[in-house]
Amino acid sequence: MGRGVLTQYAEFLPLTPVTPRITLGEGETPLVRSRQIERETGGEVYFKMEGCNPTGSFKDRGMVVAVAKAVEAGSQAIICASTGNTSASAAAFGARCGLRVIVLVPQGRIALGKLAQALVCGAQVIAIEGSFDQSLEVARGLSDRHPFTLVNSLNPYRLEGQKTAAFEVIEALGDAPDYLFIPVGNAGNITAYWRGFQEFHGREKSSRTPRMMGFQAEGSAPIVRGEPVADPHTVASAIRIGNPALWQGAVAAGNESGGGVGAVSDDEILEAYRLLASAEGIFCEPASAASVAGLLKSTRQGLSVAGKQIVCVITGTGLKDPDTAMSQAPEPTVIPPDLEQIEKAIIGTLGGSSWTRL
Ligand code: AN7
């Protein structure tokens, strides 16, 4: 346990003997069986808990490879644009390796926890008065003009690391599942999972590949609409992306696997977000809930998954985005430290034995 992606999956990664085997304990995340959501869908549903990675999102799997290769190449600075999680991960691995880290984020549009992570880890955070897509354009330009290694998913090492999550799903289930539901933003992760499933296909334990079911937020759904979205909007800030860098990868994953890319509304995302937390005990960030929202929507629209194995990728922890969490939950009850008043609030009546009424 805790060996990290570079050591555990060395034979599947583009490593050399001198690639530094850095790790923060990323990878080897749990696959947790659903209790409630599978009752509604009729399938055998699992959650791939990528929020359990060291910085709280799946980005660590790819970032550890990208940063190790940057160090190997003698780079002293890394740069990325980010809706938040990539910057948190780059800041952490960059700090670990003594690199300068520059992150460009759309101003006011990334979740508080992610911003805090990048700042505390010592990254230079530049808030761009514009969108993620504009930030990425600038980051690419800067990496062309300066010796800064770009660690967005355009960096091929990122996808190489991220594909290892597919290996773990196969390991845990004993074969690939029938379906993989996954949120889509810049489309790196769906591209990486598809690569991972294909690489393991035909080997021991993998007799099939899953249908890849990607989900964008309705207000940020360029792949579904077939054209870039100039002003993307959604409560799921992580996937508020109007022109995905790995667009073709997502389309290919959908087509080649017999799946596709669909869209879910913010209401559907928030319904899944609350349901995951209240019925499964899984507190994820809104973007992550898009995978489960996609599953619920698909089955409600008639997709029959009875007896099928389904994996929903829970890409990041809910602690990243306290503002959305608080907006979706009731205020706590405020009471003085008085037993009877508190009892009344809990049980609804003063004194007596009211437990039977609960
Ligand atoms: C929690 O951090 O794009 O389709 O800059 O943070 O591979 O982009 C984050 C994306 C899903 C979408 N879930 O993955 C960034 C960034 C969470 C995310 C996605 C993101 P991709």
Side-chain angles (χ1 to χ4, degrees):
M1 289 296 284
R3 282 180 295 167
V5 160
L6 297 179
T7 301
Q8 175 136 24
Y9 301 108
E11 63 179 301
F12 302 101
L13 298 172
L15 308 181
T16 73
V18 294
T19 312
R21 299 306 200 261
I22 57 173
T23 185
L24 283 170
E26 66 292 332
E28 291 187 276
T29 59
L31 191 68
V32 172
R33 179 92 182 247
S34 162
R35 288 176 63 89
Q36 297 292 340
I37 287 168
E38 71 174 26
R39 287 190 196 152
E40 172 163 350
T41 63
E44 186 182 317
V45 178
Y46 297 85
F47 305 112
K48 180 64 173 158
M49 303 290 284
E50 290 292 281
C52 295
N53 277 297
T55 75
S57 86
F58 71 96
K59 301 286 183 182
D60 295 336
R61 287 181 189 277
M63 195 58 70
V64 72
V65 185
V67 170
K69 294 302 284 187
V71 170
E72 180 181 352
S75 175
Q76 294 182 358
I78 57 176
I79 188 168
C80 67
S82 180
T83 58
N85 279 326
T86 298
S87 59
S89 188
F93 283 97
R96 181 88 177 170
C97 296
L99 301 178
R100 181 167 175 205
V101 180
I102 305 145
V103 305
L104 311 184
V105 299
Q107 188 203 8
R109 301 191 212 178
I110 79 165
L112 187 62
K114 304 172 187 179
L115 181 61
Q117 287 176 289
L119 290 168
V120 173
C121 286
Q124 182 174 7
V125 178
I126 299 176
I128 307 281
E129 295 172 320
S131 65
F132 164 80
D133 302 282
Q134 291 169 313
S135 306
L136 181 57
E137 222 174 284
V138 176
R140 292 174 83 158
L142 286 167
S143 72
D144 285 343
R145 292 162 70 134
H146 301 276
F148 306 152
T149 304
L150 186 71
V151 295
N152 279 103
S153 47
L154 292 159
N155 179 319
Y157 301 123
R158 281 275 314 278
L159 299 194
E160 286 297 298
Q162 284 175 212
K163 77 185 178 189
T164 61
F167 300 165
E168 291 176 13
V169 168
I170 292 169
E171 271 299 320
L173 293 175
D175 202 341
D178 295 288
Y179 291 91
L180 186 99
F181 284 79
I182 183 169
V184 173
N186 225 10
N189 212 25
I190 189 173
T191 304
Y193 268 86
W194 181 232
R195 184 183 298 175
F197 283 121
Q198 285 179 302
E199 255 177 53
F200 255 37
H201 182 53
R203 300 169 69 99
E204 194 191 354
K205 289 189 186 164
S206 180
S207 67
R208 58 186 180 181
T209 54
R211 290 177 194 268
M212 302 291 292
M213 311 290 279
F215 282 87
Q216 304 192 292
E218 240 167 50
S220 307
I223 298 172
V224 177
R225 295 162 62 131
E227 57 182 8
V229 175
D231 184 22
H233 55 89
T234 168
V235 65
S237 58
I239 53 173
R240 198 181 284 147
I241 294 175
N243 191 10
L246 279 296
W247 186 315
Q248 287 316 318
V251 172
N255 289 343
E256 293 168 13
S257 71
V261 179
V264 281
S265 70
D266 278 6
D267 283 349
E268 288 164 335
I269 288 172
L270 291 173
E271 182 208 350
Y273 172 81
R274 290 188 303 262
L275 190 66
L276 272 164
S278 63
E280 301 277 8
I282 293 175
F283 179 35
C284 66
E285 63 170 289
S288 308
S291 62
V292 173
L295 168 62
L296 292 172
K297 183 170 189 165
S298 301
T299 55
R300 286 169 190 166
Q301 287 181 342
L303 178 73
S304 172
V305 295
K308 303 285 188 195
Q309 277 188 333
I310 296 153
V311 171
C312 296
V313 183
I314 305 298
T315 47
T317 169
L319 295 171
K320 296 270 189 177
D321 189 352
D323 295 317
T324 301
M326 295 308 281
S327 79
Q328 293 300 306
E331 292 284 317
T333 316
V334 180
I335 307 181
D338 176 86
L339 187 142
E340 293 203 341
Q341 282 189 58
I342 297 169
E343 192 172 47
K344 188 176 174 193
I346 295 170
I347 302 172
T349 181
L350 258 186
S353 172
S354 306
W355 292 106
T356 50
R357 281 191 228 149
L358 282 177

